[in-house]
Amino acid sequence: MDYRTLKGVGTAELVIKKSVFIGYASPAKTEEEARAFISKIKAHHSDATHNVSAYLINDGKNFAVRYDDDGEPKGSAGKPVLKVIQNKGLSNVVVVVTRYFGGIKLGYGGLVKAYSDAASLAIENAGIVEVYETERFQVTFPYSLFHLVRETVENSGGRVVGEDYGELVTFTVETRKGEAEGLMELLTERTRGRVRLRRLFMSSFEGNL
């Protein structure tokens, strides 16, 4: 299953009418990881007025969506944070926005914007990556074909993830799932059959967006 998630933990801080909003965003592969992250932030900011949270877990097998307004008016905090996650097309992500009340009420619309902005900035700070299934194969060839093989692989969206140099050169090549067969045929065509090919295994890869 292909999906977009976060590269790491991101943070952001906003001050709006004397209220401080601190956003935290993190990847989370399971609901347990998401809850643990929320608990960690709540413990760190135990003196905060609110610790609003939301997460979305979807790995193709498990699906969970939760949000918590943590005392803010219903729908003004946790739900907007969840909508940011959804609007960015993310999965396996948890976001917590901590608020220290500054004495000036923001109103419903003001709260929605503040929590949304803090969540969005924290996510941007974390960085977004795409996770997708991959296939691998080995291609063995004479040294005279080195540049042709490498250029064909890279120009077709593949990656050389392993190299072995002996009497012949052997590249281990990785492609998106479903693309290996086409690249193998292209290599055979462009080298006029002077390569030896062997299928390997599937795995997953994270690529920066």
Side-chain angles (χ1 to χ4, degrees):
M1 176 184 172
D2 297 353
Y3 63 92
R4 289 154 52 97
T5 189
L6 299 183
K7 187 175 183 179
V9 177
T11 61
E13 183 172 324
L14 297 173
V15 180
I16 303 172
K17 293 184 179 180
K18 297 184 178 180
S19 279
V20 179
F21 294 84
I22 307 170
Y24 297 89
S26 174
K29 292 182 179 179
T30 65
E31 195 169 5
E32 290 71 25
E33 282 187 19
R35 288 174 175 171
F37 183 80
I38 293 168
S39 296
K40 179 182 176 181
I41 300 302
K42 283 187 172 183
H44 183 66
H45 291 289
S46 58
D47 59 338
T49 316
H50 306 281
N51 284 291
V52 168
S53 61
Y55 60 82
L56 191 158
I57 307 298
N58 184 11
D59 61 4
K61 297 178 182 177
N62 302 299
F63 182 78
V65 178
R66 299 284 186 278
Y67 66 86
D68 180 10
D69 293 315
D70 196 36
E72 291 283 32
K74 185 177 180 181
S76 69
K79 194 170 184 178
V81 171
L82 176 61
K83 280 192 173 182
V84 170
I85 296 172
Q86 293 172 323
N87 289 342
K88 290 182 180 291
L90 301 175
S91 296
N92 296 356
V93 169
V94 55
V95 177
V96 181
V97 179
T98 296
R99 182 190 185 189
Y100 287 90
F101 182 55
I104 301 174
K105 292 185 177 181
L106 302 183
Y108 188 90
L111 287 175
V112 170
K113 186 175 188 311
Y115 280 107
S116 297
D117 288 351
S120 184
L121 289 171
I123 286 171
E124 288 175 17
N125 181 251
I128 296 174
V129 295
E130 186 176 5
V131 178
Y132 50 86
E133 285 188 282
T134 62
E135 297 177 286
R136 289 187 177 187
F137 65 88
Q138 285 185 334
V139 51
T140 300
F141 52 90
Y143 282 83
S144 60
L145 296 176
F146 183 91
H147 294 295
L148 176 60
V149 171
R150 184 177 284 277
E151 287 175 5
T152 300
V153 168
E154 293 177 349
N155 291 340
S156 301
R159 297 194 311 142
V160 176
V161 296
E163 303 175 35
D164 183 72
Y165 300 95
E167 290 186 13
L168 298 172
V169 181
T170 297
F171 283 170
T172 299
V173 177
E174 186 172 74
T175 70
R176 280 179 177 268
K177 183 180 178 181
E179 295 181 1
E181 194 68 37
L183 180 51
M184 291 168 74
E185 289 176 2
L186 183 61
L187 285 166
T188 300
E189 177 187 327
R190 288 194 175 174
T191 63
R192 298 179 181 178
R194 290 182 293 161
V195 293
R196 198 163 63 238
L197 299 161
R198 184 166 73 92
R199 293 296 292 264
L200 296 174
F201 56 87
M202 288 192 294
S203 61
S204 63
F205 173 71
E206 290 189 2
N208 294 329
L209 294 179

